Amino acid sequence: MALNKKTTLIAALGALILPAAAKHHAVEPAAETKSCCDGLSGLYGVGYSSGNFTAADGSEGQADGITLGLRFDIADDTEIFFLYQDFENGGFNEATAVLRKSYDLIDGFTTKAGIGYGTQSLIGTPSSTAIVGELAIGTEIAGVGINLTYDHNFVIDSDADAINDDFATMHLVGIYPLSDSMNLWAAYEWQVSGDTFIEKDDVTSVGIGIRF
């Protein structure tokens, strides 16, 4: 993978690539987030994804697919987030569920930490399962929410025919509000470490999010 390009991107954006902390974005302030006792609230997102991938044999290819996200707010500072990505109609997909907690450690930013479970599958057959550790930080700039999330997958089981070591990915997301209940989002994701059967060199996604 072209890691130098990814490293340069991080350095250039600096504080900008940090999960959105203000209202009208994926991460809402406590005043706008219902507790579990006030009824279910959260965010549903759907989008189109396109990316470049490298297989274990070194061959490279491009694939298109979909991204689905679902967030449930279960307390003022706690949420459950589900992410599903499918490429080439089931040829390769990933599913992750993470329990997140928010912390106001830096003025103007929201920091999150989470733990969860993730899977990768090839042609409908799981190639690996992992415990996922997550760190994220975000802010709002000129009305746009900016998120940077780091996921580290500690692989606990993998198919004998697949090469799946522990691996890590970065997710850079921008969120633009259309209304109190709807937003546009764009995301860029890349794998920063690990030897996997299918490596995500880079994936770009665009979509819409709806609050409930």
Side-chain angles (χ1 to χ4, degrees), residues 6 49 52 67 83 85 87 94 151 169-172 187-191 200-205:
K6 312 306 188 299
S49 300
N52 297 299
T67 293
L83 181 66
Q85 291 183 308
F87 296 91
E94 290 185 324
D151 287 331
T169 56
M170 298 289 286
H171 306 258
L172 173 62
Y188 181 71
E189 175 188 358
W190 65 100
Q191 187 170 325
K200 283 183 173 179
D201 295 332
D202 55 74
V203 173
T204 301
S205 305

Side-chain angles (χ1 to χ4, degrees), residues 6 42 45 63 81-82 99 131 192:
K6 312 306 188 299
F81 182 71
F82 301 93
L99 177 65
I131 300 298
V192 295

Side-chain angles (χ1 to χ4, degrees), residues 17-19 135-138 146-150 170-173 190:
I17 50 173
L18 300 170
L135 292 174
I137 188 166
I146 306 294
N147 312 306
L148 182 67
T149 302
Y150 172 82
M170 298 289 286
H171 306 258
L172 173 62
V173 183
W190 65 100

